[in-house]
Amino acid sequence: MEISNASRAEVLTQALPYIKKYYGTTIVVKYGGNAMTNSELQKAVMSDIVLMSLVGINVVLVHGGGPEISDMLKKTGKESRFVNGMRYTDGETIDIVQMVLAGKVNKDLVKMLCAGGGKAIGLSGLDGGMLFAEKMIMGEDVGFVGEITEVNTGVITDVLDRGYIPVISTVAGGKDGAVYNINADIAAARIAAAMGAKKLILMTDIVGLLKDKDDASTLIPVVNVSDVNSLKTQGIISGGMIPKIDCCVEAVRRGVGRAHIIDGRIPHSILIELFSDEGIGTMFY
Amino acid sequence: MEISNASRAEVLTQALPYIKKYYGTTIVVKYGGNAMTNSELQKAVMSDIVLMSLVGINVVLVHGGGPEISDMLKKTGKESRFVNGMRYTDGETIDIVQMVLAGKVNKDLVKMLCAGGGKAIGLSGLDGGMLFAEKMIMGEDVGFVGEITEVNTGVITDVLDRGYIPVISTVAGGKDGAVYNINADIAAARIAAAMGAKKLILMTDIVGLLKDKDDASTLIPVVNVSDVNSLKTQGIISGGMIPKIDCCVEAVRRGVGRAHIIDGRIPHSILIELFSDEGIGTMFY
Amino acid sequence: MEISNASRAEVLTQALPYIKKYYGTTIVVKYGGNAMTNSELQKAVMSDIVLMSLVGINVVLVHGGGPEISDMLKKTGKESRFVNGMRYTDGETIDIVQMVLAGKVNKDLVKMLCAGGGKAIGLSGLDGGMLFAEKMIMGEDVGFVGEITEVNTGVITDVLDRGYIPVISTVAGGKDGAVYNINADIAAARIAAAMGAKKLILMTDIVGLLKDKDDASTLIPVVNVSDVNSLKTQGIISGGMIPKIDCCVEAVRRGVGRAHIIDGRIPHSILIELFSDEGIGTMFY
Amino acid sequence: MEISNASRAEVLTQALPYIKKYYGTTIVVKYGGNAMTNSELQKAVMSDIVLMSLVGINVVLVHGGGPEISDMLKKTGKESRFVNGMRYTDGETIDIVQMVLAGKVNKDLVKMLCAGGGKAIGLSGLDGGMLFAEKMIMGEDVGFVGEITEVNTGVITDVLDRGYIPVISTVAGGKDGAVYNINADIAAARIAAAMGAKKLILMTDIVGLLKDKDDASTLIPVVNVSDVNSLKTQGIISGGMIPKIDCCVEAVRRGVGRAHIIDGRIPHSILIELFSDEGIGTMFY
Amino acid sequence: MEISNASRAEVLTQALPYIKKYYGTTIVVKYGGNAMTNSELQKAVMSDIVLMSLVGINVVLVHGGGPEISDMLKKTGKESRFVNGMRYTDGETIDIVQMVLAGKVNKDLVKMLCAGGGKAIGLSGLDGGMLFAEKMIMGEDVGFVGEITEVNTGVITDVLDRGYIPVISTVAGGKDGAVYNINADIAAARIAAAMGAKKLILMTDIVGLLKDKDDASTLIPVVNVSDVNSLKTQGIISGGMIPKIDCCVEAVRRGVGRAHIIDGRIPHSILIELFSDEGIGTMFY
Amino acid sequence: MEISNASRAEVLTQALPYIKKYYGTTIVVKYGGNAMTNSELQKAVMSDIVLMSLVGINVVLVHGGGPEISDMLKKTGKESRFVNGMRYTDGETIDIVQMVLAGKVNKDLVKMLCAGGGKAIGLSGLDGGMLFAEKMIMGEDVGFVGEITEVNTGVITDVLDRGYIPVISTVAGGKDGAVYNINADIAAARIAAAMGAKKLILMTDIVGLLKDKDDASTLIPVVNVSDVNSLKTQGIISGGMIPKIDCCVEAVRRGVGRAHIIDGRIPHSILIELFSDEGIGTMFY
């Protein structure tokens, strides 16, 4: 659709109340899924993040990188193995995880943001002692998969104060000297909580929470976190969605204003969420 | 035209390079004409100004108020009299001018900007000793019409630093204790120069500079200020356009990056100018 | 009386303890009455205000402008009408009120303060969203006369911090978009309270509170606000004095250190109040 | 003379233009002579200094202490010996000089200023490495009498910035580890120059520069420093006055706005100088 | 012992954990005894203090000066008289005390610190109104010996903030205008408490608290302040040690982290205390 | 060698003049070679860096990582190939280089510094647009090996200002969107120059510049950069030493105070260089 300059101006004008609403607030975006692997979508997300930063939002970008890790493991002749949805992470694997997340994915995002006019710094949970973790204890050993024990927001705040967009890869240091792989959704939720963020936005590859998972028209746009248990009992929240929604619940319980599951496959889904009344995906409050 | 949320997001994204370009710069807007008398246009301008402020532009709004002055004079039984396009301003008239500009027009604009989510302060050339003037000497006496002798930007900078949009009515103090009426176009040009502004935007009731003044399709989009004299000789710059274009030339000569004559009758013409490559109206550089 | 330089120095020296006492504190002066209409007195007040500012007092000047409003109304052929001491304010009148107060009286004061070496900015209740009001509900409709619902001191503090003397005209915005005329005494009391001022000084055309209203020698110099009701019962506080004293009581009740009713007809009555032990007029605490 | 409150207010008002003139400027006062030994005069000077500080002047107080030094020497059984007007300062003497100036005179002044509502800190040329000196070379050896080689204003500026009145005793350190006695007039002139002071005020026991030294009515109120040599030739500047006036000349030559020789025997002579047009004593420019 | 550069580097490295531990904390050192009269020890202390300052410790140096006072009194023909260990201080004596402490001892220390690369300012309890005292009431009159009634740390904090080492001589002002001599140990304890210091270090001429006062090998390295009374009963704390240990107890009770009695006769005993686990002398907590 | 606490204190004291000398200055350390692969040496370097930071040096750590890159390449089945001493860097290799340097080596160093009490942030040349490069043009194509075209120190200064130790891996962005591998010695030299560093320290696996390369006793401790050409002609500077010494020359030519080649195989060689007069290795000035 060709849009005239007049209409463009009109659209900018209509964004005004939303810009005012988020001015000076902190929003944590968990970036992953298709939005990260598809290069068109990736460009759109980068541009959304820079825009958020320029209109005065303290945006914090937390990213995963599962496919890139699996690729690299394969190149070194190791196979990815998952236990209860968690990557089994032996000593060699955690090295690859750290390398790929903090060295490749993270810095590539930083490069794109800078190229797109943003000021970005790539951080990991190790920088400035941001994230500490201990070994996650489960039925089956999953190796260097960690559970967050401490979130120090000092380094995030310091770089935000100087006008940078912090881009965070979620490996954490252990008091035992080891490095731990942290689930990026959980890390994003904990960082959002520790920052007192107004919003946590999880980019996923689903439309949102659906009453009937095969019918996109049954989207549940708004969920009170106190209704989540009942939705689980009803089987509406199930499968791979459970951990993501648990992150949303945890974030809200720890004081984040709103947590959102949005469809990262739609270009500019973040902007649509932020700059319209109806938003996109499912919001937890 | 109904615009989808996706298209809206696309439009915002396309605004990004322009937002980056103007981030942290100073832009002086001279507000007047139809854009001020038509309430729909007025709303649009107010919203444009707040938007500029929120995306990090140091916007300074300078306004006139001729029709409101004439109205008030009529109410008090005085007739407006013009000499060479300048309002003859006797002692009673200058009181009315000051009152209407600084008390009515200025504060109404401030109120609208605040209601629209901006932080605005109304200033006159008297506040903080911003503008000083002396009596303009012409063939025929025009009374308290002044020529600027001094521009002190301290008060403008102070309020910008604290995040306010300064709204300025152009009466100035004389070292003789009198108050002088200052042409708002000229005042805007001088303030833009003193502030080292990136842009001066004059809102007018014309399309811009036309080769054939009866054919809007002959718009001259860009003029080098060194060509202005020749354009006058050719009669392309003529009549009421001369003083406005002289303001543009003066501003550019005194160091303002660009000066624009834009069509205030088009809604959001400021945004169209700022957020598109082709811009609107005529640009002087 | 001719005063020698030696005596002058002595006088300055004796002012020292008072200067120390008020250094860095906030004092709100309500300016009105004869002190405003008589040009000699006016000059004296302006000089007192600049002096207060230079010796380190955060002085806030709140002004009325009844006579100037009546004059202007008359010029436009409207008559001033008062209901229970309040100006009946229809739509045309509120425009005139705003214009005269914020455009004429306010800016003339600013000009005089600047000419006298002060740094002043003229504000109205509309600037920076300082004052909000709603329609005052009385037996008889008085039009756009407002009751303050909200005082935002941000804009006052911002300009004080930058070294300006804020000069305030008391029109307020309504959430309904209307502008309301606010009694200047009440506005001064509310602003003093919101600022946590050390003193509120109301300049009036009376000597102070007199036991026998016809005998200036019966001045009551100090009144505990808890005694005001009994003084009303005794008829000592009566007539036009009631609303002024109610302002003093309200200010003190809301945390202002001291409230004073002083005689604005005496030159430099503010300085006499501030720089002597016995003060002038009546003090409420 | 009994002065009414009204006249007092009038006097304060008349001080206004002078307060404005000196607001934020640096004035160095050299304190000595009768003004220091007479306790009434001393009180008056202390109060003048505090007043200067409160009305926004960066006042720096440099003091001598000859009589106190002589007294202390006498108590320890040493006699004061002078060579060409300079105290012969052997090793024992320099200890007494340092002790009396920096420990007694200086701290007593600090105590009085604090008691009088000022915030004062006592410094010597040794504190923060303010003054460095080397042995003064003359025909006859005068021991530890020093010539200033370096003035570091950092410590003075640091305490002024924090709102303190620096009180300075003029002993200096030598690169050789010795302590040197510095003439206080000279030190004051050099400090004034290094601070870029607006004024240097030397308090003396004379009326000022007189055409006829026996006739106080022949005071020369203003002297251009380029005329000093000719005044010496004429014998108008002679005797003990020469070094003081040389200090004034040096201060002005090094960039101090004005240097003054005032009569410290007159109470509040500093205020009279600062707060009147005619001033007091002789001004060098 | 010749130490190789490699060993030197090793030693610096081993100091690292201690440097980290004290970085940004406040440590008050009471300087006196042999460490002050022996010039080798004095040099060592000065260098320790500068080192502490450079590695980020807010070090405050409080000094006595008994021997220097006695010397000066003798020079003026007065004899030192002590009552219960306190110097009988008549009017002449307090002058000498002030002079010697604030003028000689204090400034000599400042000079040495500056020469050694530190930035130091000499203060007394009179500067900035730091210490106020009243006459100490005892069985026998001791003259101008004072008990602290008020500690204002503003001036200490101000100079620390600007990077200076405050050097403090312990004379205090009385509300009665007199100057009082304050025991330096007590003053140090009170200043440490008022500053919320991490440590108070008293330099003495003893090894520390000994179980058998004639056997240095019976040193008690650590004492809980609640055990002090019992140690007094047992006679382990006795004689001249009592007031020093009472200072330690008072400091700890008022919130100082640790108080230490160290042996000032050992070169660099402060550094040994700070930069080793076992420390030196006796620590009270 | 057992060192007593007294000797330790002595050593700290002797470090004082050096601490003063470097306080507040910027020192860039290029970290590589044995000091990086040997874990004992690595620990020593980390502790030296933290110590430098705590004693007030703005230390910037630039690191290489050749062996780690070769290891990782081998794991993925690629062989390291070198052209004229430069790693041939195809598209797959540059990914591995970025990953290993910015993700593994860099973050491991950050983790160790934080564990050792430092505050560190890991940066690459991509963060905050620090380093830009273009393809290095040589006789033979070496792929994504870059030559620095732009050094932006903003991000380094920002993190230093907030008290962090910046740890930098030397990959740079190209204006063409590619990532380039940058020689770490060269990058360190250019960063040192852009920061106006006082010192550049290159940690190597040689003793320094030797007259006879087989005899360590022929060390040349100091070289004027103008003598480097003649030393090359004489064959004293030759082989692998040439590029390192060229870096030193370039750094000094661009304004770095001193450049050092030190022997990283000696524990704490950085401290030995900084905290002794004779230093270690070869210094270029």
Side-chain angles (χ1 to χ4, degrees), chain D:
Chain D
M1 180 173 62
E2 188 52 34
I3 302 178
S4 68
N5 278 340
S7 299
R8 286 174 189 285
E10 194 56 45
V11 168
L12 287 173
T13 300
Q14 287 158 6
L16 188 53
Y18 305 103
I19 294 179
K20 282 183 290 195
K21 183 171 161 191
Y22 298 117
Y23 193 84
T25 66
T26 298
I27 295 180
V28 175
V29 175
K30 156 63 204 321
Y31 178 46
N34 269 311
M36 204 158 142
T37 47
N38 173 304
S39 85
E40 273 315 294
L41 289 172
Q42 191 177 48
K43 252 193 221 164
V45 174
M46 292 303 101
S47 134
D48 292 0
I49 297 295
V50 173
L51 185 66
M52 288 167 75
S53 165
L54 283 174
V55 300
I57 297 171
N58 294 318
V59 58
V60 177
L61 190 66
V62 177
H63 65 85
E68 292 81 354
I69 293 168
S70 296
D71 273 10
M72 194 63 205
L73 284 172
K74 208 190 310 174
K75 280 193 188 155
T76 65
K78 289 191 73 109
E79 225 163 298
S80 293
R81 187 157 73 80
F82 291 87
V83 177
N84 293 332
M86 263 167 292
R87 179 185 299 278
Y88 175 75
T89 310
D90 61 14
E92 275 191 1
T93 304
I94 185 65
D95 274 6
I96 299 282
V97 166
Q98 177 185 329
M99 223 180 276
V100 169
L101 290 183
K104 184 76 184 106
V105 177
N106 185 278
K107 297 304 178 189
D108 282 353
L109 293 175
V110 164
K111 182 160 68 89
M112 276 186 284
L113 289 169
C114 288
K119 272 178 72 181
I121 280 186
L123 300 173
S124 70
L126 304 169
D127 292 274
M130 186 204 300
L131 298 178
F132 283 95
E134 59 189 19
K135 193 176 160 62
M136 184 175 281
I137 301 306
M138 306 182 61
E140 193 173 341
D141 181 37
V142 287
F144 294 97
V145 173
E147 215 155 4
I148 293 175
T149 55
E150 208 180 309
V151 181
N152 301 306
T153 57
V155 65
I156 305 175
T157 309
D158 280 338
V159 304
L160 280 172
D161 280 359
R162 292 284 169 134
Y164 294 93
I165 302 165
V167 180
I168 301 175
S169 46
T170 62
V171 290
K175 298 286 183 189
D176 56 1
V179 171
Y180 289 98
N181 186 10
I182 308 291
N183 177 285
D185 292 330
I186 294 173
R190 292 295 301 276
I191 289 169
M195 298 287 295
K198 189 175 183 99
K199 260 188 202 301
L200 166 69
I201 296 176
L202 298 185
M203 303 188 75
T204 67
D205 291 344
I206 57 170
V207 171
L209 184 59
L210 302 177
K211 265 193 206 118
D212 169 354
K213 75 179 163 48
D214 300 321
D215 180 358
S217 75
T218 65
L219 177 77
I220 308 178
V222 178
V223 174
N224 187 315
V225 293
S226 63
D227 297 334
V228 163
N229 273 340
S230 130
L231 288 164
K232 284 181 180 171
T233 316
Q234 297 166 50
I236 291 174
I237 297 176
S238 68
M241 211 178 284
I242 292 179
K244 292 208 173 276
I245 287 176
D246 283 352
C247 282
C248 290
V249 172
E250 171 137 18
V252 170
R253 287 258 155 84
R254 285 175 183 264
V256 174
R258 303 267 184 270
H260 299 262
I261 285 182
I262 70 170
D263 189 347
R265 299 166 304 180
I266 297 175
H268 303 299
S269 49
I270 300 174
L271 293 193
I272 295 172
E273 167 45 42
L274 293 180
F275 293 103
S276 70
D277 275 357
E278 59 278 25
I280 196 169
T282 298
M283 177 183 97
F284 297 83
Y285 71 98

Side-chain angles (χ1 to χ4, degrees), chain E residues 42-70:
Chain E
Q42 192 177 48
K43 251 192 223 166
V45 173
M46 292 303 101
S47 133
D48 293 359
I49 298 294
V50 173
L51 185 66
M52 288 167 75
S53 166
L54 283 175
V55 300
I57 297 171
N58 294 318
V59 57
V60 177
L61 190 65
V62 178
H63 65 85
E68 293 81 356
I69 293 167
S70 297

